[in-house]
Amino acid sequence: MYSGKISEILKREHINIGDRILVEKVGKRYEGLLMPRIEYGNRNCTVIKLDNGYNVGVDCKGAKISKSRTKEPASVREEEEFELGRVKKGLVKVKFDKRKPRVSIITTGGTITSRVDYKTGGVTSLMSPEEMLYNIPELADFVSLKIENPFSIMSESMTHAHWQKLAKAVARELKHSEGVIVTHGTDTLHFTAAALSFMLKDLGKPVVLVGAQRSTDRGSSDGAINLICGARVALSDMASVGICMHGTMDDDYCIFTRGTKVRKMHTSRRDAFRPVNDLPLAKVWPDGRIEKMQTVPKRSSSVAKADTAFEEKVAIIKTYPGSSPSIIDHYAGMGYRGLVLEMTGLGQAPTYGKNSWLKSIEKATGKGVLVCGAAETLYGRLNPNVYSEGRLSMEAGVVHLEDMLPETAYVKLGWVLGHTKSVEKAKEMMLTNYAGEITKRSLQETFLA
Ligand code: ASP
């Protein structure tokens, strides 16, 4: 709690934690709910939750602190009460019983292993990844956990080298655990999920990727429930790589979704990860209930191997009105071996006038670059036969990838080209279903599921 000068002022002004306050400094004004100070925060700072939902630490040297006269929006108040409830519980170290089934957690960074830095108001990494577990004592009721931390990075900065390292770490952990949870930033969680889906061969156990849209120290954090449900999946009989995140905006259940058919579809909602052209594999409740929504390969004695060969000279390119095909010439000139075009509609690229992409595609494919097409619409299946423009792109050499997501196609292309030098073989592999990335039939109910 607050001490020294700040605590004196708070007492004098009859301000309690949770009250709405106003801090006025030269040229600055902060208004919001007074949060508890965290142990390792600056002693001269008050922590204020602003009306936009963000916590900031305000250095109060020379500032005037008073009770605010304005009312906060209702939604802020609601979240705050919940948050204060959790903060009061404090950080309690969780003890795990080694006799409980073992699950490995591999932490890699991202919001799920972050907290608000009360000096800057921004989110920053936890001191140690274990801190993530302090608010989730429930986990100790049903698992024992082993934590590994091969690297710590925000997911936007990941590269294929991180995927390779991670796949090897997962394969290692699977040898002596019932299942593996990977905690990861949400921004590119679906790329990593696709990479692990291709790189982990002969999988006989669950591999669950989990992130959080809110940092661990926020009452509205989704990390705890995602982790609890993730641990339920890790103990389940589903031998699949998938993402386990909130199924709805509430804290009721999570969805476990196939790693090649899932995507972050919202910047901030807790239920941002949705299956695309697929249903979730299962709904998972924190109490352990699991409702399968489709057939999932069963847990077996198969020992997973990390098959991580990857060609890094691959890229995604978006086609759009006015887009220049010179980007293809650029990549081909740089020695790229594979490109995924995000194509409009059923699989077209611009074919008109000086912005026609056909020549550049032909030139690249003529040089041995494998040019693939994925749907910019995300949902649905390509059918380049419908329009002449689609047919022309096919004739120029584009391999249209059915209902594969562009991000999955990009990861797969790197993995495929890492395994063969032959363009013909690579084409055949791109159209072969390895990890559920291509579905045979498009089902109505998978749209916006
Ligand atoms: N930028 C963060 C990341 O992807 C966001 C998050 O974790 O949600 O690592």
Side-chain angles (χ1 to χ4, degrees), residues 417-432:
L417 291 174
H419 284 78
T420 179
K421 292 258 174 292
S422 152
V423 178
E424 282 318 304
K425 175 76 183 158
K427 276 186 194 171
E428 184 196 309
M429 288 175 79
M430 285 308 289
L431 292 171
T432 303

Side-chain angles (χ1 to χ4, degrees), residues 110-167:
T111 298
I112 190 158
T113 42
S114 302
R115 62 174 173 78
V116 174
D117 174 354
Y118 290 92
K119 278 189 203 143
T120 62
V123 170
T124 186
S125 294
L126 293 175
M127 307 274 201
S128 72
E130 286 84 358
E131 258 186 64
M132 158 182 84
L133 302 173
Y134 294 172
N135 274 329
I136 326 174
E138 301 91 311
L139 274 175
D141 294 342
F142 65 98
V143 279
S144 79
L145 291 178
K146 173 170 182 275
I147 300 200
E148 288 292 314
N149 177 222
F151 50 85
S152 260
I153 193 169
M154 284 290 173
S155 77
E156 58 268 33
S157 299
M158 285 210 184
T159 65
H160 71 281
H162 293 100
W163 302 335
Q164 289 169 317
K165 199 167 185 182
L166 187 56

Side-chain angles (χ1 to χ4, degrees), residues 343-349 374-375 382-384 389-391 393-394 398 400:
M343 306 185 85
T344 57
L346 289 162
Q348 292 86 242
L382 296 181
N383 185 351
E389 287 76 4
R391 288 171 183 242
S393 73
M394 245 189 328
V398 176
H400 293 79

Side-chain angles (χ1 to χ4, degrees), residues 262-267 271-276 378-379 448:
V262 59
R263 200 170 184 282
K264 186 172 182 178
M265 301 298 278
H266 198 279
T267 53
D271 56 351
F273 283 85
R274 310 310 310 176
V276 178
L378 305 179
Y379 285 94
L448 300 178

